[in-house]
Amino acid sequence: GRYFLARAYAALDMWNESLGQYDLYVQSGRAALPYAYLDRAQTLIALGRPQDAMDSLQSGLAMGVPDSMRRTYLMALGQSHEAADDAAGAIGWYTALINEGSRDAPVALARIASIKRRGGDGSYGDDLNRLFSSYPGSSQAVEELKAALARGESVDAFTRGVVYYRHFDYTTAEPAFRERIDAAAGQAGGAESHYYLAAILESRGDIGAALDSYSRVTELNPQSHLADDALWWRARILEEDKKSNEAGPLYQRIVSEYAESSFASDAAFRNGMLEYGMENFRGAAGSWEQSEASVTDADERARLDLWRGKALVRAGDRAGADSVLTPLATANKVDYSSMRARVVARDRHNLAN
């Protein structure tokens, strides 16, 4: 009861009463002590006693806490040292929190930047840039970006664009990306800005301009980490517009040039389906056979084999279909592709007709 009473007092900003109940609970040695030490520290911070808060947190940590709770402790230790005007100590604990991969890393980075800026340490800009580039979708990123711009600080146009884009502020993001594109003057540095600009244009229904901008990504920098994304979305737009002859080569480029792409397996499949949908069954089978060399995932290869076999059945090539479907159907597996292969192999006469 004392622990819950302490929390109730804290919720009412009755800090002295809350601390009294926490102290009694700690003396009782009950099971929720790690939580009590943590909450007690927050009460001590509110009372302006950061050093005592640090001692409370260290006592809790010494008991051994789960990783998820440990990260909460690290944040609280950073806050305690910050409240005590111990900049180095606060930065140390916030850095430890970041290094543990906490979802609170954006908060920690923002606090580090704030501490450094107040202390006249110019390296705070590096922390802000890390915040913007690593966590652009965080609330801290957009808040700190706006604050930096309000202070008259310079922030790279692409960085500004990405942060605003991640917060769906396309009106502000678009001119930032165009500024970066203009500054790049047709060089590789404008590739990623073209990608985001294309996505914005697509969202507005300006499909022609979006396609042009997506195409510029691979033209300017085929090694860009967004090159395969740009090819994929160009292909999807063209496929939806019934332009299979233009979409197919783009899917094939993903398979051939970006085999490690997360889109590679689906690109291989969709490329064949374009031919299959036009009843070019031999073309579809050939496409899937060609793509198998670039697909390493066993389940994805099985999917291509299944559809390759179905295409060969539809093309009237029963021998070819058997050579593909029989190994798949007789495999000692119960996955979808193997089960469907058994059905297709059994019913290939009806499928062919």
Side-chain angles (χ1 to χ4, degrees), residues 7 20 32 92 110 128 145 187 257-258 273 288 300 314 338 353:
R7 296 188 67 182
L128 287 181
L145 173 61
Q187 300 301 308
E257 300 174 28
Y258 304 94
M273 284 303 295
W288 285 319
E300 290 299 330
R314 296 294 299 274
S338 297
N353 294 287

Side-chain angles (χ1 to χ4, degrees), residues 76-313:
L77 279 162
Q79 292 168 338
S80 299
H81 281 268
E82 191 173 357
D85 293 323
D86 177 7
I91 290 173
W93 286 111
Y94 286 139
T95 300
L97 179 64
I98 294 167
N99 291 340
E100 294 209 0
S102 170
R103 64 182 180 183
D104 289 322
V107 178
L109 275 170
R111 296 313 310 151
I112 290 173
S114 177
I115 292 168
K116 288 183 176 181
R117 185 174 60 80
R118 294 197 308 268
D121 183 344
S123 69
Y124 78 90
D126 296 334
D127 300 294
L128 287 181
N129 285 331
R130 183 180 175 188
L131 171 63
F132 300 150
S133 61
S134 299
Y135 309 97
S138 67
S139 61
Q140 289 74 27
V142 72
E143 289 167 4
E144 292 297 330
L145 173 61
K146 291 178 179 179
L149 295 174
R151 292 191 297 268
E153 297 174 12
S154 176
V155 180
D156 173 74
F158 177 73
T159 298
R160 298 198 312 269
V162 172
V163 172
Y164 286 124
Y165 178 89
R166 293 298 185 193
H167 289 268
F168 308 102
D169 184 356
Y170 298 156
T171 300
T172 309
E174 180 179 352
F177 289 131
R178 291 191 182 278
E179 178 183 338
R180 179 67 181 119
I181 290 168
D182 291 342
Q187 300 301 308
E192 285 79 16
S193 289
H194 268 294
Y195 175 84
Y196 287 106
L197 177 60
I200 291 171
L201 293 169
E202 184 183 357
S203 74
R204 293 176 179 162
D206 192 349
I207 301 304
L211 286 170
D212 289 342
S213 201
Y214 278 134
S215 69
R216 293 291 285 157
V217 179
T218 48
E219 289 172 10
L220 293 174
N221 185 11
Q223 303 306 315
S224 166
H225 70 282
L226 292 173
D228 57 323
D229 294 65
L231 286 171
W232 172 261
W233 293 114
R234 279 177 66 198
R236 293 291 289 122
I237 291 171
L238 291 166
E239 182 182 354
E240 290 178 7
D241 202 26
K242 310 300 182 186
K243 296 179 179 178
S244 299
N245 291 335
E246 296 180 53
L250 298 178
Y251 285 136
Q252 187 56 48
R253 281 190 64 186
I254 296 174
V255 176
S256 303
E257 300 174 28
Y258 304 94
E260 300 302 316
S261 167
S262 61
F263 295 114
S265 295
D266 283 334
F269 181 70
R270 298 194 78 89
N271 191 26
M273 284 303 295
L274 292 175
E275 300 293 340
Y276 194 93
M278 294 185 293
E279 299 190 355
N280 179 11
F281 300 121
R282 286 198 176 277
S287 174
W288 285 319
E289 182 178 17
Q290 179 183 355
S291 295
E292 280 193 24
S294 303
V295 176
T296 57
D297 183 81
D299 290 336
E300 290 299 330
R301 288 175 65 87
R303 178 169 70 151
L304 295 181
D305 274 338
L306 170 63
W307 280 89
R308 181 181 159 209
K310 291 173 70 172
L312 290 169
V313 169

